[in-house]
Structures are given as C-alpha cells and as structure tokens.
Amino acid sequence: MGSREKLVMVRYGELFLKSESVKHHFIGMLLRNIGKALSASALSYHFETPRGRILIYGDQLEKIADIVSRIFGLVDVSICTRTSSVLDDICTEAISLASANLHAGMSFAVRAKRQQKTGLNSQELGTLIGSAIYDHIPDLKVDLDHPDYELFVEVRNFGGLVYDSRIAAPGGLPWGTQGRVLALLSSGIDSPVASWLMMKRGCEITHLHLDAGRWAGKDVTLAAIENHRRLSRWCTGNPLSMVIANSELLYDRMDQLRIPPRYRCVICKRFMQRVAGKLMEKEGALAVVTGENLGQVASQTLANLSVISEAVTVPVLRPLITYDKEETITLARMIGTFDAHPGDLACRAVPSMPATAAVLKTVTECEQKMGIDEIVATALSGVRFVTALNCGIVKES
Ligand code: ATP
Ligand code: MG
C-alpha cells in the first residue's frame, strides 16, 4: 500500500475570476494571512500550493482547520488523507474512512473529481469507488441527492485526496487586499457586523468609537471594546486598532443651547462622520463604514442618511443598508459579537421623537451655533488607542 498522510486542504473562491497576476498576488496574501494566524497560535505547519488548492501539513490538524476556517478568501476547509494516485490505494482509503462513519441502513454518495483529462472520468471514478464501498459495508443505499453520508475524492497530479467533511469558511477576499477603512464601532449589534463584512471583502480596519461619557450608559464603551476584541479573532496574527474619542461636549452643547431634541440624532451622526473624516488621512483609510440600515430607526430614513453623508466629502459605506434585523443578528451570532457585553447600553441623549426628515439648512445652523468645528477638534485632541490581537487586548494608551 502507498504512503498516506493527513493534511488540511483549503479551497478559495472568487480568486478564480482574477487574472493570473492578481491571482498570484491574492494567493500570496492568503498564504501570508494563514501563516500569521497559525504562527500566532504557535502551530507548526508547511504549505503546498497545487493549482486551485492550498495544502497545509502540521501536527494539530483539527486546530489548524479551525483557525483557517476564519480566514477571508477561503470557501471551505477539509481534513483529508493524501494517498498515491493508484486507484487501489484511493479505494482502500475511501473504504477505511467510510467504514468509520457509514453504517448498515444508511445512504451515501461519492463525489469524485479528477484533474487529468485521460483515463476514467470523474463520474466513472465516483461509481467505481462507490461500488467498492457498497461491496464492503452491508445494506447501504446510494442517494446522490440527499445522502446521509458524503465522501469526497479528488485525484490530482500529485496523488489522491480523500475526505468526508467540509467546514465552511467565510469566503470574500483575502484580508489586506482592498485598503483600509475607518469603521464606526458602537456597543450595538449592527456595527460589528458592518465592520466584519468590510473585513470579509479584504479591507483592513481601524475602529472608531465615540465615548459620550455621562450621556451614555456606563457599559457602552466597554461593550464597544469587547466587540473590537472579538472582531480581532477574524484577522488573527494581525493587530486591530481602535481609536476612542470623547464626545461628551457635543451633547453638553446641544443641551445648553437648547438645540431642538428632535435634531439630536442627525447632528450626532454627522458629528461622528466629521471626526471619522478628520482621522481618515492619519489612519490611511479610504472610506468610512457604519452599521446604518435603511429605516431601522428614525435617524436612518433615506432623507436623514443623505443629510448625514453631507457632513463629509469622503465615501460613506453602509454594508447593512438593506439587511433585515434578523439577517444581521444571524451573522452577529456566527461572528461571535451578538450580545458581547450586555449591561447599561442606553443613550441618554436620544429624544422621544427624532426627526425623520431633518432639514439640512436647520441642521447646519444648529451646528454653527454650537461651534461644531471646535467640538470636533476637542474630541480629536485626547483620543485613546486600544489594540486587539488574537482576541486579546494587547495595548491601551
Ligand atoms: P449599532 O447600529 O452598531 O447596533 P446602535 O444601534 O447603538 O449601534 P445607531 O444609532 O443605530 O447605533 O447608530 C448607527 C451607526 O452609527 C452604528 O451602526 C455605528 O456605525 C455608528 N455609531 C453609533 N454609536 C456609535 C458610537 N458611540 N461610536 C462610534 N460609532 C457609533
Ligand atoms: Mg443600529
């Protein structure tokens, strides 16, 4: 019998669509990100990169599979056995794997793929391996549509790969291929998901949180930091930065000057955009990201969103704009940020009846009266930084 070796095989998705040179660059980034994530977890490994796949060898394959299943750009991950290209070897391994999991009375399917264009085609190969399993384990049924058990076989130039599970990875593009964005991160459910979606599309992130001091519930900033910490699990090996600016003065001024309470939410969101806009250059960011969502709350009507965007000239990206709350919650649970830090998360400035169609002219008049530029400068004058790495806070200043 030929040699066998266990390994982790990963598949990448959309990169297939890229030109050869871009693909080469993106695969390089993928390998770098995988390498950083595994090294950060003190795992030893080495790679092989046959066409369309990345093979990872190492001692702790379950751990490696778990970590790489959170790498953006990958579609799925399998722990496989590599065999020789000899059909008997592949069949022996297929029977051995199936025997551990497939029992009398169950249905099964073999999904086979073959790289070479000569010899048996993929379907014939699947039938052949399927028959070998069928003869070996009594009382099985073949069901190609809804089998109880699936076994996958790939025959490639270098040998066979046999496996029976595919762990879903997030897809998207490799982290770091699309530039940096500044993501407004709150204590809520939406903004961590918005930030994650931008990471998924290959962006590096700087988080910005506005700490409203006595105007916010006592747990708000802690909860935002917890969201930040949890998101760093999705770029393991790469530090994730967060800037925290104090925004107490904004609400004090609105209160002192008796700005109509119904305008508070729009003025607050425009202020956040202004602070973000000023920080962008320093952080090397190309756009601002928010968790805003059409019609979710009074400040997020189309009319208000356009008044909010008007405060800055930079692109404002809102990845959740069309999401239903349930869709966002499902994603937040998967990401691990849902309910990250419950507690007193209330906003004490929110009015009972916020304007749903704020008039830009009135808003800008209020802002001038408040001295908005000075308030922005004050917020930026004493920022704090929190760096998260591998799901831990590593630096605060
Ligand atoms: P989320 O939308 O994140 O669940 P939320 O519901 O408390 O938080 P919204 O009033 O919906 O906040 O705010 C809309 C967006 O503004 C948020 O998605 C987030 O991007 C940003 N944002 C809100 N509060 C803050 C804050 N304190 N610091 C930074 N960004 C914030
Ligand atoms: Mg929200």
Side-chain angles (χ1 to χ4, degrees):
M1 197 197 321
S3 67
R4 294 181 194 181
E5 192 168 11
K6 289 235 174 218
L7 56 94
V8 171
M9 177 186 71
V10 300
R11 260 188 220 85
Y12 39 86
E14 244 182 86
L15 307 195
F16 274 122
L17 303 173
K18 307 281 176 206
S19 67
E20 280 307 315
S21 64
V22 175
K23 208 188 303 179
H24 182 76
H25 168 61
F26 279 26
I27 291 172
M29 292 296 276
L30 260 184
L31 294 176
R32 196 195 70 153
N33 292 343
I34 295 172
K36 276 191 169 183
L38 297 180
S39 301
S41 311
L43 292 167
S44 60
Y45 64 90
H46 70 272
F47 295 131
E48 261 176 42
T49 52
R51 194 177 166 74
R53 301 280 185 269
I54 297 171
L55 308 182
I56 312 170
Y57 298 84
D59 296 332
Q60 300 185 56
L61 296 179
E62 302 275 345
K63 255 192 169 172
I64 292 178
D66 175 55
I67 289 168
V68 296
S69 71
R70 284 187 294 279
I71 299 275
F72 296 114
L74 300 182
V75 171
D76 66 28
V77 179
S78 299
I79 297 181
C80 310
T81 303
R82 175 178 173 165
T83 68
S84 75
S85 312
V86 177
L87 199 55
D88 271 358
D89 261 357
I90 298 172
C91 277
T92 308
E93 180 54 33
I95 291 169
S96 146
L97 188 60
S99 301
N101 300 287
L102 183 58
H103 309 294
M106 285 169 72
S107 62
F108 80 110
V110 173
R111 317 280 186 210
K113 254 196 205 150
R114 186 162 190 131
Q115 197 174 23
Q116 290 103 327
K117 297 281 173 250
T118 53
L120 296 177
N121 66 26
S122 297
Q123 208 183 344
E124 289 163 345
L125 186 71
T127 310
L128 206 132
I129 297 168
S131 306
I133 295 174
Y134 191 83
D135 291 344
H136 199 85
I137 304 172
D139 198 18
L140 293 181
K141 290 186 286 285
V142 173
D143 181 346
L144 297 183
D145 297 322
H146 304 289
D148 298 324
Y149 178 78
E150 270 180 309
L151 187 118
F152 303 89
V153 174
E154 293 188 19
V155 182
R156 307 202 133 238
N157 297 335
F158 58 80
L161 293 170
V162 182
Y163 54 99
D164 64 359
S165 90
R166 294 169 77 144
I167 307 162
L173 296 174
W175 190 87
T177 57
Q178 303 300 312
R180 184 173 289 274
V181 292
L182 195 69
L184 283 166
L185 188 69
S186 76
S187 57
I189 297 165
D190 303 325
S191 53
V193 175
S195 179
W196 183 87
L197 285 168
M198 295 309 297
M199 277 176 149
K200 181 181 172 207
R201 284 315 288 175
C203 288
E204 293 185 55
I205 306 276
T206 299
H207 283 137
L208 169 63
H209 175 69
L210 279 308
D211 177 354
R214 68 189 177 88
W215 292 92
K218 70 174 175 39
D219 297 305
V220 166
T221 297
L222 286 176
I225 293 174
E226 182 59 16
N227 283 333
H228 173 65
R229 185 183 75 78
R230 292 187 183 202
L231 282 164
S232 71
R233 197 167 78 118
W234 291 91
C235 56
T236 298
N238 292 292
L240 187 60
S241 318
M242 181 184 205
V243 179
I244 303 178
N246 187 289
S247 59
E248 213 163 358
L249 181 60
L250 178 85
Y251 309 96
D252 287 345
R253 284 273 165 91
M254 286 199 279
D255 190 40
Q256 284 155 9
L257 297 174
R258 297 185 197 288
I259 300 296
R262 51 199 298 270
Y263 280 120
R264 280 185 187 166
C265 293
V266 167
I267 292 174
C268 165
K269 294 299 171 331
R270 279 170 59 91
F271 164 79
M272 290 183 185
Q273 291 293 339
R274 288 174 196 270
V275 176
K278 292 270 184 228
L279 266 176
M280 271 177 55
E281 197 178 334
K282 197 163 154 278
E283 290 296 319
L286 301 170
V288 177
V289 176
T290 81
E292 285 160 324
N293 165 261
L294 190 55
Q296 186 185 84
V297 289
S299 64
Q300 293 170 19
T301 59
L302 260 190
N304 281 347
L305 289 174
S306 77
V307 172
I308 293 167
S309 297
E310 195 275 344
V312 283
T313 52
V314 299
V316 181
L317 306 179
R318 299 180 166 100
L320 297 182
I321 195 73
T322 62
Y323 279 43
D324 288 350
K325 193 74 186 183
E326 262 326 295
E327 294 174 289
T328 305
I329 289 176
T330 303
L331 262 181
R333 286 187 201 280
M334 189 280 292
I335 296 165
T337 50
F338 183 74
D339 245 354
H341 189 295
D344 177 6
L345 304 178
C347 171
R348 314 229 189 284
V350 71
S352 53
M353 291 278 282
T356 51
V359 177
L360 180 61
K361 186 162 172 290
T362 315
V363 171
T364 50
E365 281 166 9
C366 292
E367 288 173 340
Q368 268 158 30
K369 193 163 140 195
M370 289 162 60
I372 195 72
D373 292 339
E374 181 216 335
I375 302 173
V376 170
T378 306
L380 286 167
S381 65
V383 294
R384 293 200 282 138
F385 298 91
V386 179
T387 308
L389 180 66
N390 310 337
C391 228
I393 301 297
V394 290
K395 201 165 137 214
E396 291 199 62
S397 56

